[in-house]
Amino acid sequence: MNTRDFTELLKGCRPVKDSDGNIIVQSIMNMQIVCLTTDAEYSLDNRFANPLTSLTSSNSSYGQISFTNKENKEVILPAQMAIMTKQQAQNHGMVKAGYIPSKASTTYHDAGCVQGSQGGHFRGTSEYRMIPVTMREMLWDAVGKTSGHGNIYPAIDKLGRDTQSDAGSYLDKYFNKYDKKLEQFIAHFERPRNLIGIIILIDGEIVAVDKFPSFTYAEQVWDIMIRDCYGALAIISELKHKSNMNEFTQTYEDLKKSHRESIVDLLEKTMKRTKEKVTADVHEKIQELLELTFDATLDTEGQITGSRMPKSYVLKTDGYIGQVITENEFNHLVSVVKRDRFDPNALRDLNELRKKARRQDKFSL
Amino acid sequence: MENLVLTQKMLVSVKQSLIDGLTIASGAKSSATYYHGKDEQMKAIQTQIRGLYKLSKELPLIIASQKGATGRFVSEVLLNEFKQTQRGGACNIVNPIDWYDNGLGDKAVLTALNNLGENGLPYVLRLFVDLKNEKVNNERTRKIVLGYIWGQDNLEFYAMKYRNKIADILKHVYGVKKTSILLTIAQKQINIHGANIVGTQKEINIVNDMVLKYFNGDSIRAFKLLLFLFKRDANVIYNETEFPLLSQYKIAQTDITGVQNVPEEVLLGLISSVRHPQYHTMWATELQREATKAMIRKNVKVTSVNQQVRQTKSTAKLGVTKTVQVEKATDYLALYKTGYENGWTAELRSAIEKLAEKKRIDGFFYQNIGVIVDDSISMTGHKAESKNTPRAIADFTAKVLSKSAQNAVVVKTSDVFTDLATSFIELLKKEDEGKPYDAIFILTDGYENAYDGLTNEVIQIWKAETGRVIPTFQISPITSAEMGANVRNLGAGIVTMAINNPAALQPQITARLLEVDTKMWLENQVLALEAAPVKRIKKISVNV
């Protein structure tokens, strides 16, 4: 086991900012998205093939998925894809991301069924969906567990409760219920050019971070990630009747007390202040993550290994879990989520204590 | 016209139905969008029309006669109307004497049909095919269909371009037996090279009643067209003077090289048949196909300017150089998409300016307007829609609005993200104190990225602090059949409209304004229908 600092995992990346230097934060209800970009040289656009069109998948027993890469390029499998097929077969899901060399095949035995009592095996399909982000934590905890096919059932059950979709052990029930809403959800967010990653916040706390191998890859998976993966967060927020914060109005009321300008100037000033405040809040939250250090465990189940090939590590630390596909210290794909039970305030207290410890003088007489 | 018979009691429900109907009529389309499946769209249109008809049968036709009503909406209104008997449904707005006996109902149907025809002949033909599919074939419908088809000035061209479709429609309207009789008479007359019909009185009556009553031409010409449509033209001679297009079609059946007056798609249809004598030399391989397509593209002179503009990319790909008179184009979407996708030229920009000028809304309600155009990435459209459609609609609408008002300030969002609130403040900063805005238009899909509701917060604060009451319209280029197009509303107090064409703006604004005096609005519409110079056929006015 070795360690990975959060700063190292996202090296080369930076938040997308507006012309005034504010971090651009896109919001809906209590959910916010910060897009990350990088310099063009760190985006490996020509190296990897489209994961949604290059792979065909099959299985011959429950709890496993085989992928065949038909392209002449390597493929980085996004974290936790599901095969939701129209074939008379049991839908399955991956509990992690993966790497598949060009024209190669591999089988993951730690996959899981996502469709209860449905029987049958699928053949040569490319019908992919992404597993909702709120299930990620429980799935990464199941990486390497190859006995049985029930790795994903508990997470579906939790999703069903969180989203009132009565999913039980059927992921398709959730999608069937919310597909239209999820499709509309794509329109809420703009994908900037040269996107390399995303940070997701709920109620002002970072709950997920994704870094992709290239700008092209990010473009290829954007719609499906927003719809299938992050969409669950918005569904849950809506069910909890969460709303945005009316930040502008609050700021306006504060500034109004001492204003001497025209109304238009005051509105402009308020807008500037509002954006600065939103930026500052997000900045602070990202800053806190920079202190994180993850324990990294090599993941070999199903991953094709070779000395010159990317490797997969499962990342764990207090409150966060995830995965990195890395090669010679270059991180192709990073995916991290906050554990559901984790209260970031605990981390804040810990960091505060660390900072105090650093400031203390060494014992002397 | 007698006074309207609309009661005060009904006025309330009529008002709301009119507003809803106008909103849907200007946004309804049958194709899927980002937010709506095709089936959902159709279902919503049909339900709305049935509701309007039930309330009062004049309502759907009044709405379908408005400029800016989409082809799909008008088509469904007419289909619904033709399905009913002429005297079916209740007349609760107009006096039934005016509607039935004084021909107002007929005029309403024909005005709507002409409105549909302005979208292009294919829309009307599709409606007529729907009549066949729905097994609608009453006397009124028959006369309207025959009057429309035989009354086309350019029937020779349409016969060539939409041969099978028109033949299908005529066969349905005439019936199998009468079609057969007509074709037999036609063949007989053509075979004896008849200058005039020499037939029995019964035959003459049939031809007069079924063709010549509607057709602006001599009987021989009508027979030749009929025989062509029904593919009984093997022995018919189409000389170049009388039939400049069909004579070329005949040549193209054996040799397509050098043919200029046959539409490209018709030539491609001919050459791609293995029975065509040139198939093996001009179409059998990929290379031959590319060369043949290029030759056809180069030669054909009957392609509309709009289509030529749409073909800009593929023309270049085929390696053909063709001068297109873009200033004659009337399809703004084609012009914009060509610009977005192939680069802007001075000719394109000038053509758009001229077209916007042509489309300006006469008697526009507002004189000093502010316009915000959302230029974010989402406006390029979703995979379910044609690329760049929302963006083109928004850009052109902004241009038309600017030309319709005396003074207009246009602001575009400056980043890839939708930050309408900042643009709104920018718009306020650019306001001329001497010419304060009397309306503000925000052209957007409604998905703010800054945070949802921010624009509304800014607008509400501004209105509250200044005490100004200015209509603020959110115009969404994402159109759909559902109420409000299910478009995300920027907030309370902002009127949302979904349009797919600037022409739909006026009826949408009207829909809001008619709240002031619904009865007066209705009266004006009925008077306009009464004055409409429409007839079932150009030659004779037919009363059922």
Side-chain angles (χ1 to χ4, degrees), chain B residues 147-440:
Chain B
Y148 196 90
I149 289 180
W150 283 111
Q152 291 299 315
D153 290 335
N154 208 2
L155 187 57
E156 184 188 353
F157 178 75
Y158 294 137
M160 190 163 56
K161 195 162 181 182
Y162 307 109
R163 189 182 193 180
N164 294 335
K165 203 168 259 181
I166 294 177
D168 267 5
I169 293 164
L170 289 179
K171 194 174 174 183
H172 169 65
V173 173
Y174 288 136
V176 176
K177 194 175 165 189
K178 282 189 179 169
T179 305
S180 172
I181 293 169
L182 262 182
L183 290 175
T184 309
I185 297 171
Q187 265 171 333
K188 193 169 101 183
Q189 294 301 320
I190 296 301
N191 287 342
I192 61 167
H193 311 292
N196 292 304
I197 292 179
V198 182
T200 63
Q201 189 56 45
K202 199 174 176 186
E203 284 176 344
I204 292 170
N205 288 345
I206 288 172
V207 172
N208 275 337
D209 194 43
M210 294 166 72
V211 179
L212 297 182
K213 189 157 88 176
Y214 308 100
F215 182 56
N216 279 320
D218 63 54
S219 54
I220 294 299
R221 186 174 173 80
F223 290 148
K224 286 189 174 182
L225 284 169
L226 256 183
L227 291 170
F228 176 79
L229 284 166
F230 286 93
K231 299 182 182 170
R232 304 275 184 90
D233 57 323
N235 301 317
V236 183
I237 295 163
Y238 295 93
N239 69 53
E240 208 178 327
T241 327
E242 282 182 305
F243 291 96
L245 305 180
L246 291 185
S247 58
Q248 289 237 326
Y249 180 88
K250 284 287 184 183
I251 294 169
Q253 283 181 315
T254 50
D255 179 9
I256 64 161
T257 52
V259 172
Q260 295 184 341
N261 294 332
V262 176
E264 186 177 326
E265 54 274 31
V266 176
L267 285 178
L268 290 174
L270 287 172
I271 191 67
S272 61
S273 164
V274 74
R275 284 176 301 200
H276 194 279
Q278 291 172 314
Y279 176 87
H280 293 289
T281 53
M282 297 184 76
W283 199 257
T285 68
E286 186 65 40
L287 267 179
Q288 287 173 346
R289 281 198 284 276
E290 288 304 300
T292 305
K293 280 182 195 169
M295 183 204 73
I296 291 173
R297 180 67 55 88
K298 199 174 171 186
N299 288 348
V300 170
K301 302 273 188 252
V302 290
T303 309
S304 72
V305 174
N306 286 337
Q307 197 174 343
Q308 285 182 53
V309 173
R310 281 193 291 269
Q311 287 173 339
T312 306
K313 202 172 180 177
S314 63
T315 302
K317 203 176 162 194
L318 288 169
V320 177
T321 313
K322 209 167 180 178
T323 312
V324 183
Q325 293 177 295
V326 287
E327 72 278 4
K328 288 190 177 169
T330 54
D331 182 351
Y332 75 90
L333 278 177
L335 290 171
Y336 269 100
K337 287 183 179 191
T338 305
Y340 296 143
E341 287 156 29
N342 304 302
W344 289 98
T345 61
E347 287 82 15
L348 267 178
R349 289 187 194 282
S350 158
I352 287 173
E353 286 295 328
K354 282 181 188 163
L355 190 58
E357 188 64 46
K358 232 185 273 179
K359 301 272 181 184
R360 68 197 289 266
I361 304 164
D362 291 327
F364 191 54
F365 297 112
Y366 306 108
Q367 293 316 315
N368 302 311
I369 59 168
V371 182
I372 298 170
V373 183
D374 179 354
D375 199 27
S376 61
I377 291 176
S378 65
M379 295 288 280
T380 55
H382 183 254
K383 62 191 173 204
E385 292 159 313
S386 175
K387 195 180 173 194
N388 282 322
T389 297
R391 190 177 166 201
I393 295 172
D395 283 348
F396 191 61
T397 303
K399 218 167 252 308
V400 171
L401 279 170
S402 305
K403 295 199 182 288
S404 302
Q406 274 176 7
N407 304 294
V409 176
V410 180
V411 168
K412 277 197 169 193
T413 55
S414 56
D415 221 325
V416 294
F417 299 98
T418 311
D419 183 0
L420 298 169
T422 301
S423 297
F424 182 80
I425 295 170
E426 194 187 336
L427 195 73
L428 296 181
K429 289 183 81 175
K430 288 185 175 174
E431 185 179 27
D432 182 343
E433 280 182 19
K435 295 167 188 165
Y437 300 132
D438 49 16
I440 290 174

Side-chain angles (χ1 to χ4, degrees), chain A residues 26 188 190-191 244 249 275, chain B residues 376 378 419 449 452 457:
Chain A
Q26 303 184 57
H188 282 284
E190 305 271 1
R191 179 183 53 78
N244 64 54
T249 306
K275 285 183 178 176
Chain B
S376 61
S378 65
D419 183 0
N449 302 130
D452 52 327
E457 277 184 62

Side-chain angles (χ1 to χ4, degrees), chain A residues 24-27 29 180 183-184 186-188 190-191 244 246-249 252 256 264 268 271 275, chain B residues 34 40 376-378 382 417-419 421-422 425 429 447 449-452 454 457 461 465 486 488:
Chain A
I24 293 176
V25 182
Q26 303 184 57
S27 308
M29 290 174 284
K180 187 174 179 190
E183 192 67 35
Q184 290 179 15
I186 299 173
H188 282 284
E190 305 271 1
R191 179 183 53 78
N244 64 54
N246 293 333
E247 192 73 56
F248 184 89
T249 306
Y252 180 82
K256 191 182 165 186
V264 176
E268 190 178 26
M271 181 60 72
K275 285 183 178 176
Chain B
Y34 205 148
E40 289 170 332
S376 61
I377 291 176
S378 65
H382 183 254
F417 299 98
T418 311
D419 183 0
T422 301
I425 295 170
K429 289 183 81 175
Y447 287 89
N449 302 130
Y451 68 77
D452 52 327
L454 176 59
E457 277 184 62
I461 289 174
E465 295 287 347
N486 207 9
R488 191 174 176 79

Side-chain angles (χ1 to χ4, degrees), chain A residues 61-274:
Chain A
S61 73
Y62 300 119
Q64 70 169 50
I65 303 176
S66 301
F67 289 99
T68 299
N69 177 3
K70 56 191 177 189
E71 296 293 328
N72 278 320
K73 288 179 175 180
E74 304 147 271
V75 170
I76 299 275
L77 203 60
Q80 301 169 350
M81 284 210 308
I83 290 95
M84 308 286 283
T85 180
K86 290 188 178 71
Q87 297 175 13
Q88 284 295 310
Q90 193 175 52
N91 294 332
H92 271 63
M94 289 283 290
V95 295
K96 61 191 181 185
Y99 164 78
I100 303 166
S102 59
K103 298 281 181 191
S105 296
T106 188
T107 301
Y108 296 92
H109 294 91
D110 53 359
C113 172
V114 296
Q115 201 184 11
S117 58
Q118 169 71 39
H121 302 303
F122 48 88
R123 287 275 169 277
T125 180
S126 299
E127 301 160 275
Y128 300 121
R129 303 289 301 250
M130 300 299 298
I131 288 179
V133 67
T134 54
M135 294 169 61
R136 281 186 169 183
E137 172 194 354
M138 294 169 87
L139 269 55
W140 270 314
D141 275 330
V143 170
K145 292 181 180 170
T146 55
S147 58
H149 59 274
N151 282 347
I152 304 180
Y153 286 154
I156 303 175
D157 187 52
K158 181 177 180 300
L159 176 79
R161 278 184 271 114
D162 290 345
T163 60
Q164 296 174 14
S165 58
D166 191 26
S169 55
Y170 296 84
L171 187 57
D172 51 329
K173 278 192 182 177
Y174 161 76
F175 282 126
N176 289 342
K177 179 164 182 180
Y178 290 114
D179 251 346
K180 187 174 179 190
K181 200 180 272 281
L182 289 169
E183 192 67 35
Q184 290 179 15
F185 185 62
I186 299 173
H188 282 284
F189 299 107
E190 305 271 1
R191 179 183 53 78
R193 282 179 193 89
N194 297 345
L195 174 85
I196 200 75
I198 312 172
I199 297 176
I200 311 279
L201 298 95
I202 291 283
D203 288 329
E205 300 292 353
I206 293 172
V207 294
V209 179
D210 276 292
K211 187 258 166 188
F212 308 112
S214 67
F215 302 147
T216 308
Y217 188 100
E219 186 178 344
Q220 288 159 348
V221 301
W222 171 264
D223 277 4
I224 194 171
M225 289 289 284
I226 293 286
R227 184 189 65 193
D228 294 356
C229 188
Y230 309 132
L233 293 169
I235 300 277
I236 294 167
S237 296
E238 195 172 281
L239 290 170
K240 289 180 179 170
H241 305 293
K242 296 280 186 175
S243 63
N244 64 54
M245 56 291 194
N246 293 333
E247 192 73 56
F248 184 89
T249 306
Q250 287 170 24
T251 310
Y252 180 82
E253 293 301 331
D254 292 343
L255 290 176
K256 191 182 165 186
K257 291 167 195 161
S258 57
H259 96 103
R260 299 277 180 277
E261 315 91 327
S262 71
I263 174 72
V264 176
D265 288 338
L266 183 58
L267 287 172
E268 190 178 26
K269 195 173 169 184
T270 309
M271 181 60 72
K272 192 167 178 285
R273 193 69 63 84
T274 305

